[in-house]
Amino acid sequence: MKDFEYFAPKTVEEVLSLLSQHKEEAKIIAGGQSMLVVMRQGLLAPEYVVDIKGITALDYINYDEREGLRIGALTTHQAIEKSQLIQKHFRVLSEMERNLATIQTRNWGTIGGNLCHGDPAGDPALVLIALDAKLKLKSLSRERIVAMEGFSKDMLEVDLEPDEMLVEIQVPTPRRHTGVAHEKLMVMQGDAGIVGAAVSLTLKPGDGVCEDARVVVSNAASVPLRVKEAEKRLIGKVINDHLLTEAGEIASAEADPPSDVHASSEYRKEMVKVFVKRVALKALERAKEG
Amino acid sequence: MAGKRQGKAKPTVMLKEEGYSVIGKPIPRVDARAKVTGEAKYAADIEVADMLWGAIKRSPHPHARILNIDKSKAERLPGVKAIITGKDFGGFKWGWSRETRDEEPLASTKVRYLYEGVAAVAAIDEDIAQEACDLIEVEYEPLAGVFDPFEAMKKGAPLVHEDRPGNLCVEYHWNFGDVEKAFSESYLVREDTFQTPRMAKGYIEPPAIVAYWTDGSHLTVHAAKGSPYFPYRILSNCFNLPLSNVRIIQPFIGSDFGGTKNDMVNGDFSAPMLAKKSGKPVKIVYTQFDELTTCLRRHPMWVTIKTGMTKDGKLKAIQTKVISDGGAYTRMSPLSNFLTGISMALPYKLPHFKTDVFCYFTNNPSSAAMRGHGIYHTRFAGDVQMDMIAEELGIDPVEMRLRNAIENPKQGKIYETINKLHLATCGVKECIEKAANEIRWEEEKKRERVKGDKAYGIGFACGTYLSGTKLSGHNACAAMVRICEDGSVSYITGATDVGQGSDTVTCAMVAEVLGIGLEDIDIKRVDTAHTPVDPGTYGSRVTVLAGEAAINAAKDAKRMLLEVAAKEFGVKPEEMDIKNKKAFVRTNPGMSIPWARLVRMACYTTPGMVIIGRGQSSRGISTYGLADFTTGIGDIGTNYSFTAQAQEVEVDLETGVVKCTDNSVIAHDCGFPLNPPAVDTQVVGGAYHPGVGAALYCEFKMDKGLTLNPNLVDYKLPRAYEAPMTKVIHVITNDPFGPFGAKEASEGSTCTAPPAVINAIHDATGVWIKDLPAKPEKVFWALKKKRELEQKKK
Amino acid sequence: MKGEPRELKIKVNGMLYELKVKPNVLLSDVLRKDLKLTGTKRGCLESTCGVCTVILDGKAVRSCSILALQANGHEVTTIEGLAQGNKLHPIQQAFIDHGAIECGFCIPGRVMVAKALLDENPHPTREEVRLAMQGVLCADVGYVKQIEAVEIAAEKMRGGE
């Protein structure tokens, strides 16, 4: 690994100051598990490495029924998985984390680090889009809130300025009769999904008509893909098996997945059908539970 | 097949009537404590004073001429102490056998696979060594290449080796009986082509070496080598040193599986040469990337198998054509490809057999041995096709196997195959019965296969593996047993334990023969300055052959002691024995002397003795004569193990994802399980890692010589979550040619797992996956095709 | 300054160390080269095989994927820190007694994952044991004996026989 200058700031302000100073030449390291690999391979050689792992102020999970869920960017995957609070109010996040990689990755890696990496196969982004989450980004000069959807601009590229840092993930409390589910196609437990789907369905109490739907697919494009056409198919109707199949097919038609060593584009398109349907079914069951 | 005894084989002495004191029971591994506390040192853990780190400069082309190497920039980098290129080796070439010396330590004129080493640097730390490598400028003339056997065999194809026309590395053509006539007389003849994947060995410890010279003519090497006596000879040739000046010291080894660690890599030559040039010790540790892109792989093979069967499901003839990808250099392709045919006549009775085997050079990393070496490819084809035929004939697959299984020869009799393999024991029938019974085959085959969107099926397969490989040349194998003056015992061996547990089992054999406890034995591992020669771990030979040497050495030491004891009691040595640490007269056990006292007596009476028992194994290279590679006739093993496996799978009918369930049984005939828990682990691991790995998960994807998945996320090694909790059943046949009746354990299950899984997928879904691995996408398209065909029929 | 060695204060197996390390040095390098604790193995260096796993502040992590300086002020336990003199930790003893060790290369990392699991969750389900073991690759054993050994150790640690 090439030499670099190393900083271990203790506050967010210090980090922002360093980023403002060094901009593109500086790279933040949190868990660093993906970053260190590419640095060792020589594909990334920043002049300045800003180690933010020690900023305990960004390690928190707070919940308030009105405000919703607030997760500090440096919260580990494992903390999210095991959080009683999250298991109670945002079960899908805990389930997603449980299936993410292996225990060592979950213990050290952070949700913020994962989101900023911008992997189109990434699970957290997928589920957070389904949950209509927002991200708080900070620089010395400003603070902005962006929708999770749209944060990923391209493969491994996110909407983050060189002097900005992700500090918080905000998840609104879901409306009543909302069910959210996530599943991905794994060959082995912990795999990045060959494809994955996260679906949120909100039903009207009484007649059970679908009031709102969010359907998001991973590894089906260069960024997590929200399939609005599939959502439209479901909204305003009482969801049945036939509609779910159609939603899957629409999502599949929208998808433009990559071909790689794990699967071809054609197979991924087929799997989008399967997973949108499976996950939507699960979300529907949960929505019905209330 | 009528059996007739041949040769002068003398069975090992059987002690089973009296019961064993040490072997046959769970034996805790002698090295377990060192490993579980972190004390065990592997090659990469070795540190020597003043040590430099080495790195290899690798070619960016899969096939190219080397025009020029400019080291000047690299030499100027502070911290660099030595740089070498292929030319430094003076044209030296090496190979697995004398006839196949086609590979250089570092390429000097031409590179033949991507990332082949062309230069190496020693520097004060790893980063500087790597940086220096990047500064070495190499001018290449890229050449057109061939990247699979089908390209390689084309007329006018670029040649990987100019002196090897047609890119043919090795070919075999064997013919036993009359297959054409047998086919014409068969009720059913069927031909299918199967494909096995290009696989990594899968061990987690990458190759590593530390080398240094004590003076200009004495070389010491610590390296992760499963067969240390190979580098011992090769380095002696390379550096023109007498053998006794080459000291290979074996650290603990993180597995081998038959290639790379018992063969040489660029680093194994570079470290000693850099050490010579720099005057300092040099350490080279490969990364997993190096391992996955440059080290030896299991041959991918295309097996076309044609089988003739009678109406009642008995084999009449098999004809195979095997095409394999040998990669850039010969290495041990002659053996790997020879093995594809040698035991086709096991485990089922086979009257006619013909095979044509072609192995081609390609501009890919070299292929070599891996667990289930050679045999697994054709056994996979054979045992899946057997199920296909069973389905056509309407015969139950287990019943079919029982009808064809070779019977266990009666005691004293030998079964001889058409190509003159000799079996004193063959427990396959009992294995089949026990496995089928345990999995409740008769009930299970009646059950509903589909449950919602999942389908469940059980597959059955049988396998065999040679044990105690018999080859010509360097198969000499010896051991020494030194009895120290206080009665403790040093067991000095040239054999290596790469994790299979051979150290433990051979120590146990020594203890059993001497009549003392395992705790009294201390193993002295390979240090070629002091330990006797042994070919190491490959060919499933250590337990059987090094074991025999250990037993003979122990007997020799015992004889010396009993001579002293006998004198004391005024009897003949043959009238005495040692058990429970007491030497006693057999007919009058009251006349006895404790072990420690006897040893002291022997050592201190005038003139004191030095008790060193010496033993060799003769089985590796004699008994029935060597196998003839040209004709395929003759024993390749001292004896042969047999296995039957039943494996259930769950298939997700919507995605094609296949999982092994815990409903998994392997019945294994290893003759006599010397250390039953170790046999269990070996059998289970042998089935899962290389077996289920091949069936479901593992394959290198290549693009013109470039490995597209050179990391352990994209190349999937089998993991814990998916591992079936396989139950192992021991079938005991007490083979007279193995130590205490033993035969190899576990390579048989490497051969049964792939066909069992594929047969299970068929049982669950009706689809046949003939090219491994059965990845979800493959299964998905096969299921889709089947549904479409069924729709059409309607 | 680029590449300038920085102070690293780290507790390893109960002992406090004060070292000076360059920023680009990995935690596994400090453990293996500076502290000579070679029990923690060097495997893939790519965060995939898990043989470098140690326990950092009670959690199993991959030491090849952590800069040494990120462990500044933290507590690390390696395989060498498990046994109390001659007395092995129950997990170590279970691995030996149950025959769960073959080549041994994955064992230090695996035992550390098991220890972190059982310290946090003394009553894991088989599923949870499998999930924990998923992070350390083996090539020999087939995992069965290792999963069982962890379960046996868990029972022992809970006071059972």
Side-chain angles (χ1 to χ4, degrees):
Chain A
M1 212 189 305
K2 291 224 154 60
D3 277 327
F4 49 81
E5 197 171 342
Y6 172 83
F7 302 98
K10 287 281 172 277
T11 67
V12 172
E13 287 63 44
E14 281 174 62
V15 178
L16 298 179
S17 175
L18 285 164
L19 292 179
S20 164
Q21 216 185 324
H22 300 293
K23 298 221 176 46
E24 279 92 353
E25 294 198 307
K27 268 268 169 223
I28 283 179
I29 188 170
Q33 281 162 126
S34 337
M35 196 165 128
L36 284 181
V37 173
V38 291
M39 281 175 74
R40 272 208 72 258
Q41 289 167 349
L43 300 171
L44 183 68
E47 291 288 310
Y48 307 95
V49 169
V50 182
D51 178 8
I52 62 171
K53 197 75 165 70
I55 300 183
T56 47
L58 289 182
D59 179 4
Y60 58 85
I61 299 172
N62 294 327
Y63 176 67
D64 169 271
E65 187 152 351
R66 249 180 353 119
E67 299 272 303
L69 183 65
R70 299 273 191 268
I71 306 176
L74 289 176
T75 309
T76 62
H77 297 289
Q78 200 247 13
I80 295 170
E81 181 197 344
K82 299 279 193 241
S83 157
Q84 303 256 20
L85 207 150
I86 286 184
Q87 282 175 12
K88 184 168 181 204
H89 300 285
F90 297 88
R91 177 164 47 145
V92 68
L93 279 175
S94 172
E95 290 166 345
M96 175 272 292
E97 294 290 14
R98 187 181 166 284
N99 285 324
L100 190 144
T102 59
I103 215 168
Q104 300 98 316
T105 308
R106 294 197 288 282
N107 281 337
W108 188 249
T110 64
I111 188 152
N114 181 290
L115 292 174
C116 293
H117 190 59
D119 188 343
D123 305 325
L126 195 72
V127 175
L128 289 171
I129 292 172
L131 289 169
D132 199 12
K134 292 195 169 33
L135 304 177
K136 190 199 275 189
L137 310 173
K138 249 184 158 169
S139 71
L140 268 189
S141 52
R142 63 169 178 167
E143 182 183 289
R144 57 187 182 114
I145 311 280
V146 299
M148 182 70 241
E149 184 186 353
F151 184 62
S152 287
K153 286 157 67 181
D154 203 344
M155 169 123 49
L156 304 180
E157 206 185 300
V158 297
D159 178 15
L160 201 62
E161 295 299 315
D163 65 345
E164 270 183 328
M165 178 182 161
L166 169 64
V167 292
E168 184 178 83
I169 296 103
Q170 302 172 342
V171 187
T173 305
R175 282 146 65 187
R176 287 198 67 209
H177 308 292
T178 299
V180 193
H182 164 251
E183 260 180 64
K184 57 179 172 174
L185 176 53
M186 295 186 282
V187 177
M188 284 181 188
Q189 177 62 29
D191 276 354
I194 288 177
V195 298
V199 175
S200 171
L201 293 175
T202 306
L203 303 179
K204 238 201 302 201
D207 59 10
V209 164
C210 174
E211 253 185 358
D212 196 15
R214 296 173 74 86
V215 175
V216 203
V217 186
S218 68
N219 231 358
S222 59
V223 297
L225 179 68
R226 180 154 169 222
V227 196
K228 294 207 167 101
E229 292 304 310
E231 293 167 5
K232 283 191 196 136
R233 202 73 197 81
L234 301 171
I235 293 173
K237 312 204 180 51
V238 176
I239 298 177
N240 59 25
D241 189 81
H242 183 69
L243 279 177
L244 289 174
T245 305
E246 277 187 39
E249 283 165 358
I250 293 168
S252 173
E254 294 268 320
D256 181 24
S259 276
D260 60 22
V261 295
H262 299 291
S264 69
S265 176
E266 292 76 28
Y267 176 67
R268 284 195 160 102
K269 274 177 101 79
E270 294 287 332
M271 291 302 102
V272 167
K273 285 183 207 168
V274 172
F275 276 80
V276 164
K277 183 171 179 183
R278 274 188 188 178
V279 177
L281 191 59
K282 200 162 174 192
L284 184 67
E285 279 162 23
R286 289 183 173 178
K288 286 180 180 161
E289 281 166 20
Chain B
M1 277 264 142
K4 49 184 167 103
R5 199 172 197 134
Q6 283 184 337
K8 303 179 189 68
K10 274 209 161 56
T12 312
V13 170
M14 298 309 297
L15 302 174
K16 66 179 160 72
E17 276 73 37
E18 299 115 75
Y20 298 123
S21 322
V22 185
I23 59 161
K25 308 177 182 19
I27 308 170
R29 294 205 187 204
V30 298
D31 48 19
R33 201 198 163 89
K35 288 172 178 173
V36 89
T37 56
E39 284 162 18
K41 291 233 181 290
Y42 298 76
D45 303 330
I46 307 272
E47 213 176 271
V48 183
D50 248 5
M51 203 172 70
L52 300 173
W53 280 82
I56 314 261
K57 169 94 182 159
R58 298 186 174 283
S59 159
H61 304 285
H63 197 201
R65 259 188 267 282
I66 300 170
L67 299 175
N68 187 47
I69 301 184
D70 181 358
K71 306 180 284 187
S72 53
K73 288 203 182 97
E75 278 164 342
R76 288 199 289 273
L77 187 68
V80 169
K81 300 297 178 192
I83 302 182
I84 57 170
T85 67
K87 289 215 167 78
D88 284 292
F89 292 92
F92 171 75
K93 284 194 178 158
W94 69 280
W96 198 71
S97 76
R98 183 173 296 168
E99 299 78 36
T100 63
R101 289 175 181 169
D102 61 3
E103 190 164 356
E104 295 181 290
L106 289 170
S108 66
T109 51
K110 201 167 103 139
V111 292
R112 295 181 172 85
Y113 63 93
L114 184 63
Y115 303 135
E116 183 172 1
V118 302
V121 175
I124 54 176
D125 69 44
E126 274 187 278
D127 282 335
I128 294 174
Q130 194 52 63
E131 203 183 328
C133 279
D134 296 337
L135 290 173
I136 298 175
E137 289 170 348
V138 185
E139 223 183 300
Y140 296 96
E141 179 198 331
L143 301 167
V146 289
F147 302 105
D148 68 42
F150 305 99
E151 284 178 17
M153 66 172 78
K154 281 202 183 109
K155 199 157 182 224
L159 290 178
V160 179
H161 295 268
E162 281 85 0
D163 59 342
R164 304 302 298 271
N167 285 314
L168 196 55
C169 172
V170 68
E171 61 182 309
Y172 298 110
H173 306 282
W174 304 341
N175 203 348
F176 301 98
D178 186 342
V179 294
E180 287 309 323
K181 182 158 179 283
F183 287 140
S184 68
E185 291 167 355
S186 299
Y187 176 78
L188 183 153
V189 178
R190 195 191 156 114
E191 185 177 281
D192 295 276
T193 300
F194 296 86
Q195 193 184 335
T196 56
R198 197 182 299 268
M199 287 175 72
K201 292 309 158 81
Y203 46 71
I204 315 301
E205 178 206 24
I209 179 169
V210 177
Y212 51 90
W213 299 75
T214 36
D215 54 40
S217 60
H218 285 79
L219 169 65
T220 304
V221 163
H222 303 258
K225 290 289 164 211
S227 294
Y229 285 88
F230 287 7
Y232 166 74
R233 277 179 218 109
I234 294 169
L235 292 175
S236 131
N237 279 334
C238 179
F239 291 95
N240 251 310
L241 297 171
L243 282 174
S244 69
N245 287 19
V246 179
R247 189 171 178 194
I248 314 286
I249 302 176
Q250 179 212 320
F252 281 89
I253 300 173
S255 282
D256 182 6
F257 310 135
T260 296
K261 289 187 186 168
N262 68 7
D263 213 347
M264 307 290 279
V265 296
N266 295 134
D268 295 328
F269 294 100
S270 301
M273 187 60 91
L274 286 168
K276 191 166 200 214
K277 256 202 162 176
S278 66
K280 297 221 187 288
V282 172
K283 180 172 183 174
I284 296 180
V285 181
Y286 275 33
T287 62
Q288 192 60 239
F289 180 81
D290 292 327
E291 166 62 38
L292 295 176
T293 53
T294 65
C295 291
L296 301 178
R297 296 145 171 223
R298 204 183 223 175
H299 292 73
M301 293 199 185
W302 290 256
V303 177
T304 303
I305 177 170
K306 184 173 176 185
T307 300
M309 209 58 112
T310 65
K311 188 169 185 192
D312 63 342
K314 299 237 180 74
L315 280 168
K316 275 191 81 74
I318 291 181
Q319 181 173 2
T320 54
K321 180 174 175 196
V322 178
I323 294 173
S324 69
D325 183 341
Y329 294 98
T330 306
R331 297 269 176 156
M332 53 180 106
S333 279
L335 179 58
S336 316
N337 286 274
F338 163 85
L339 287 169
T340 62
I342 193 63
S343 58
M344 209 58 199
L346 298 174
Y348 311 115
K349 299 184 276 264
L350 182 65
H352 304 274
F353 174 59
K354 185 172 195 277
T355 189
D356 298 285
V357 184
F358 303 90
C359 177
Y360 291 90
F361 288 114
T362 63
N363 294 108
N364 291 313
S366 300
S367 306
M370 183 165 162
R371 266 170 120 163
H373 195 191
I375 292 178
Y376 119 91
H377 307 266
T378 42
R379 182 41 46 210
F380 163 65
D383 250 65
V384 173
Q385 195 188 53
M386 180 167 270
D387 261 38
M388 291 171 160
I389 293 174
E391 188 181 50
E392 276 197 63
L393 290 175
I395 299 174
D396 174 275
V398 169
E399 174 59 33
M400 177 96 132
R401 285 171 173 82
L402 283 170
R403 289 183 193 176
N404 286 283
I406 294 168
E407 307 277 347
N408 191 18
K410 300 234 177 338
Q411 197 167 43
K413 293 260 185 280
I414 299 286
Y415 173 88
E416 184 184 85
T417 67
I418 41 171
N419 60 328
K420 301 201 178 349
L421 298 189
H422 297 92
L423 310 178
T425 60
C426 173
V428 73
K429 225 172 186 166
E430 196 181 335
C431 288
I432 297 169
E433 284 159 356
K434 291 210 157 114
N437 199 40
E438 185 65 31
I439 203 108
R440 296 182 13 249
W441 178 260
E442 288 302 316
E443 296 105 86
E444 291 295 333
K445 65 182 186 183
K446 296 187 195 120
R447 64 173 187 185
E448 190 55 53
R449 301 294 194 270
V450 177
K451 288 188 187 131
D453 56 10
K454 306 264 199 302
Y456 296 84
I458 298 179
F460 214 90
C462 294
T464 182
Y465 209 77
L466 54 100
S467 90
T469 295
K470 297 159 53 132
L471 291 174
S472 65
H474 295 118
N475 270 285
C477 150
M480 297 188 289
V481 167
R482 173 183 159 195
I483 303 183
C484 303
E485 304 85 81
D486 62 352
S488 61
V489 176
S490 299
Y491 160 53
I492 303 159
T493 177
T496 44
D497 185 337
V498 297
Q500 78 275 41
S502 55
D503 280 358
T504 302
V505 125
T506 47
C507 282
M509 289 187 210
V510 170
E512 188 71 49
V513 170
L514 290 177
I516 59 179
L518 181 65
E519 64 281 1
D520 302 312
I521 315 285
D522 192 61
I523 185 166
K524 306 300 174 195
R525 297 187 175 89
V526 173
D527 174 346
T528 62
H530 306 293
T531 49
V533 148
D534 182 291
T537 291
Y538 78 90
S540 310
R541 55 170 298 287
V542 180
T543 297
V544 171
L545 300 181
E548 193 200 351
I551 289 172
N552 289 339
K555 282 183 181 167
D556 193 29
K558 186 177 181 179
R559 176 190 53 76
M560 289 185 225
L561 278 180
L562 288 181
E563 276 168 9
V564 171
K567 251 205 188 118
E568 273 298 297
F569 293 115
V571 297
K572 295 206 190 75
E574 309 84 79
E575 293 175 70
M576 295 196 71
D577 199 358
I578 308 176
K579 279 229 163 18
N580 299 317
K581 296 182 84 157
K582 233 196 290 212
F584 59 95
V585 178
R586 274 190 239 264
T587 48
N588 186 0
M591 293 172 72
S592 70
I593 175 170
W595 168 265
R597 183 129 67 88
L598 171 57
V599 172
R600 262 202 317 276
M601 188 175 5
C603 294
Y604 292 122
T605 50
T606 319
M609 290 169 75
V610 177
I611 310 169
I612 300 184
R614 293 161 57 205
Q616 293 182 54
S617 165
S618 58
R619 298 203 183 281
I621 38 184
S622 68
T623 311
Y624 290 104
L626 294 171
D628 182 332
F629 276 42
T630 315
T631 60
I633 294 175
D635 279 296
I636 186 64
T638 303
N639 48 28
Y640 305 84
S641 72
F642 294 93
T643 312
Q645 178 166 2
Q647 178 65 52
E648 184 185 47
V649 301
E650 173 196 271
V651 182
D652 183 325
L653 293 168
E654 289 189 310
T655 64
V657 172
V658 178
K659 287 183 163 63
C660 287
T661 74
D662 284 343
N663 210 4
S664 171
V665 180
I666 299 176
H668 187 77
D669 162 26
C670 68
F672 177 76
L674 297 164
N675 184 359
V679 171
D680 288 348
T681 315
Q682 276 285 94
V683 168
V684 169
Y688 188 52
H689 297 282
V692 175
L696 295 180
Y697 304 116
C698 305
E699 77 174 326
F700 277 121
K701 286 245 186 248
M702 307 296 293
D703 179 20
K704 297 205 180 342
L706 171 70
T707 305
L708 295 173
N709 52 341
N711 62 70
L712 295 175
V713 167
D714 295 329
Y715 179 94
K716 295 194 162 323
L717 282 177
R719 288 191 186 247
Y721 195 82
E722 292 74 29
M725 301 300 277
T726 306
K727 178 168 177 180
V728 178
I729 299 172
H730 296 275
V731 168
I732 297 177
T733 54
N734 288 309
D735 194 279
F737 299 118
F740 301 101
K743 305 191 278 190
E744 79 87 25
S746 105
E747 301 226 39
S749 61
T750 300
C751 299
T752 54
V757 169
I758 295 303
N759 288 341
I761 294 173
H762 174 77
D763 185 51
T765 64
V767 304
W768 292 109
I769 306 291
K770 298 200 279 193
D771 63 326
L772 300 180
K775 280 181 157 164
E777 180 162 358
K778 241 179 237 178
V779 177
F780 173 80
W781 293 125
L783 287 169
K784 189 160 194 261
K785 197 166 171 201
K786 180 168 178 281
R787 277 195 300 273
E788 284 165 0
L789 277 170
E790 281 166 358
Q791 296 270 17
K792 270 208 193 117
K793 282 190 194 151
K794 290 184 188 154
Chain C
M1 264 223 33
K2 206 177 180 185
E4 190 183 335
R6 305 278 295 267
E7 206 173 72
L8 172 66
K9 279 204 177 90
I10 185 171
K11 204 174 196 184
V12 181
N13 297 334
M15 273 190 64
L16 192 60
Y17 293 92
E18 282 183 35
L19 304 158
K20 270 204 139 68
V21 299
K22 289 176 69 176
N24 63 354
V25 167
L26 302 169
L27 177 59
S28 61
D29 288 331
V30 163
L31 294 172
R32 287 172 53 80
K33 292 182 187 167
D34 294 297
L35 302 183
K36 312 293 182 207
L37 296 168
T38 57
T40 303
K41 295 305 165 201
R42 171 189 157 130
C44 68
L45 297 180
E46 290 179 336
S47 214
T48 55
C49 75
V51 300
C52 66
T53 303
V54 298
I55 294 178
L56 181 76
D57 295 344
K59 304 240 183 266
V61 295
R62 293 197 186 91
S63 61
C64 80
S65 306
I66 297 176
L67 293 174
L69 289 175
Q70 288 188 292
N72 190 25
H74 291 271
E75 196 165 334
V76 175
T77 312
T78 71
I79 188 74
E80 291 92 342
L82 244 56
Q84 311 267 349
N86 265 332
K87 190 160 189 283
L88 294 177
H89 189 282
I91 297 172
Q92 290 172 308
Q93 196 60 56
F95 268 68
I96 293 178
D97 295 340
H98 198 57
I101 302 171
E102 289 220 326
C103 86
F105 198 69
C106 76
I107 293 301
R110 191 173 303 283
V111 168
M112 298 322 281
V113 169
K115 178 167 196 309
L117 171 74
L118 296 183
D119 283 349
E120 194 176 298
N121 177 4
H123 232 117
T125 61
R126 169 153 295 176
E127 164 105 358
E128 284 167 329
V129 175
R130 279 187 187 269
L131 270 175
M133 297 287 100
Q134 190 73 337
V136 183
L137 274 172
C138 177
D140 297 319
V141 171
Y143 302 104
V144 171
K145 286 265 163 87
Q146 295 162 344
I147 292 166
E148 289 172 342
V150 174
E151 291 171 342
I152 289 168
E155 208 188 320
K156 193 81 196 276
M157 285 163 74
R158 289 195 301 267
E161 260 319 306

